[in-house]
């Protein structure tokens, strides 16, 4: 589902809130971006011009078609990796919001192949198995690492498959979900669970401990359902937005 009944203006306001939240929580920094599908035209999406998420305002949000061509560029600079968004929206009609991050805690997992699995109740939304996309597999040219066109973007979308999370080796991650609150929650959960798992791995390695307690598949399903409950999501959204200093941008989901 997408946020029900939102106007384009409200969708843009929520997108700016998402940018600020993801920056404040440390998921994105100078780089990284978040988009959402256009609420009135599923063949378009909304994404900022090339600007760090902490600095994005409503005026920066642009419309793109699913080839990631801007509808009205007006001389503005664009994110080099916007093809991520167009390719995933094209491949996944169920997806309405996408985050691309270079979150540092994720990097060791794709670099070593150590599975990134949930060990924390709020890590459940990342799922039991997080796939890894390595640009070298489909593009062994050794001439770049970014998703700068639809050929590379389609390769990534294929690896994401029907999932909500995919790690990008040596790079970061993409997170794709049915609405922007779910995408923001999953992006934060992915990064925080990675930090906790790394700490746990260090303890097991240095203390000679053989076991590590991962969530079971049943726990993952139940806790994801709870986290994606609109009441729970709204509570977290309001909290994150307030922490990020944009409580004035809040649009109550439940009253719309
Ligand atoms: Zn990137």
């Amino acid at each position: 589902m997408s946020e029900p009944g939102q106007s384009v203006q409200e969708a843009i306001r929520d997108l700016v809130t998402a940018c600020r939240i993801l920056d404040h929580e440390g998921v994105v920094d100078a780089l990284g971006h978040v988009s959402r599908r256009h609420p009135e035209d599923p063949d378009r999406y909304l994404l900022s011009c090339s600007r760090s998420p902490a600095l994005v305002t409503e005026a920066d949000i642009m419309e793109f078609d699913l080839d990631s061509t801007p509808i009205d560029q007006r001389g503005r600079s664009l994110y080099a990796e916007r093809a991520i968004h167009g390719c995933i929206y094209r491949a996944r009609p169920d997806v309405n919001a996408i985050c691309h991050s270079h979150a540092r805690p994720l990097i060791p997992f794709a670099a070593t192949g150590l599975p990134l699995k949930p060990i924390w109740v709020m890590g459940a939304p990342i799922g039991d198995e997080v796939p890894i996309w390595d640009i070298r597999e489909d593009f062994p040219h050794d001439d770049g690492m970014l998703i700068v066109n639809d050929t590379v973007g389609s390769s990534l979308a294929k690896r994401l498959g029907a999932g909500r999370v995919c790690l990008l080796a040596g790079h970061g991650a993409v997170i794709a979900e049915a609405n922007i609150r779910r995408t923001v929650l999953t992006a934060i959960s992915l990064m925080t669970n990675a930090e906790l798992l790394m700490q746990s791995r260090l303890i097991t390695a240095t203390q000679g401990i053989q076991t590590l307690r991962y969530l079971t598949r049943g726990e993952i399903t139940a806790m994801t359902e709870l986290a994606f409950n609109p009441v729970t999501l709204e509570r977290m959204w309001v909290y994150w937005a307030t922490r990020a200093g944009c409580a004035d941008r809040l649009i109550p989901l439940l009253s719309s």
Side-chain angles (χ1 to χ4, degrees):
M1 70 169 198
S2 66
E3 279 77 358
Q6 281 199 326
S7 65
V8 177
Q9 198 179 22
E10 287 172 330
I12 289 173
R13 190 145 39 117
D14 257 4
L15 182 54
V16 173
T17 302
C19 290
R20 302 297 180 86
I21 290 173
L22 289 167
D23 172 76
H24 191 263
E25 298 299 323
V27 174
V28 294
D29 46 29
L31 307 176
H33 23 89
V34 57
S35 72
R36 62 178 300 169
R37 203 185 285 273
H38 195 291
E40 294 175 357
D41 184 348
D43 293 329
R44 290 187 182 183
Y45 66 89
L46 303 169
L47 177 71
S48 170
C49 62
S50 180
R51 197 175 302 290
S52 299
L55 308 176
V56 167
T57 69
E58 281 80 351
D60 296 318
I61 304 299
M62 301 174 62
E63 280 186 35
F64 294 84
D65 65 21
L66 297 191
D67 294 329
S68 297
T69 302
I71 304 304
D72 181 15
Q73 186 167 356
R74 279 184 275 140
R76 290 174 282 186
S77 301
L78 309 177
Y79 291 132
E81 295 194 290
R82 61 189 183 282
I84 292 172
H85 303 268
C87 290
I88 294 175
Y89 287 127
R90 204 163 44 213
R92 292 279 302 277
D94 60 309
V95 164
N96 291 305
I98 297 166
C99 170
H100 169 50
S101 90
H102 296 175
R104 296 178 188 88
L106 306 176
I107 303 306
F109 292 90
T112 62
L114 181 71
L116 178 45
K117 296 161 86 71
I119 59 164
W120 171 50
V121 63
M122 291 311 297
I126 73 171
D128 187 44
E129 210 170 308
V130 175
I132 299 170
W133 176 79
D134 189 336
I135 193 168
R136 294 177 188 168
E137 288 177 17
D138 283 350
F139 307 95
H141 317 303
D142 197 23
D143 62 354
M145 295 179 69
L146 302 186
I147 297 97
V148 291
N149 59 48
D150 279 8
T151 308
V152 186
S154 297
S155 165
L156 170 60
K158 195 174 164 193
R159 187 76 184 111
L160 173 69
R164 68 172 66 98
V165 171
C166 185
L167 297 186
L168 280 55
H171 188 159
V174 293
I175 301 96
E177 248 299 340
N179 65 53
I180 200 157
R181 286 159 172 77
R182 287 188 184 193
T183 293
V184 167
L185 164 66
T186 307
I188 295 170
S189 298
L190 180 70
M191 185 188 70
T192 311
N193 191 86
E195 291 169 339
L196 296 172
L197 183 52
M198 183 54 71
Q199 290 164 13
S200 303
R201 278 283 175 179
L202 285 172
I203 292 171
T204 57
T206 55
Q207 302 299 313
I209 297 168
Q210 301 300 320
T211 57
L212 209 161
R213 186 185 186 280
Y214 293 101
L215 301 197
T216 66
R217 286 192 177 173
E219 288 170 341
I220 290 169
T221 302
M223 292 304 100
T224 301
E225 226 168 86
L226 181 66
F228 284 176
N229 177 291
V231 176
T232 315
L233 263 183
E234 189 64 1
R235 186 164 128 197
M236 291 187 281
W237 183 261
V238 170
Y239 169 71
W240 288 321
T242 304
R243 263 162 63 92
C246 50
D248 57 327
R249 281 196 168 84
L250 284 169
I251 306 160
L253 175 64
L254 298 179
S255 65
S256 62

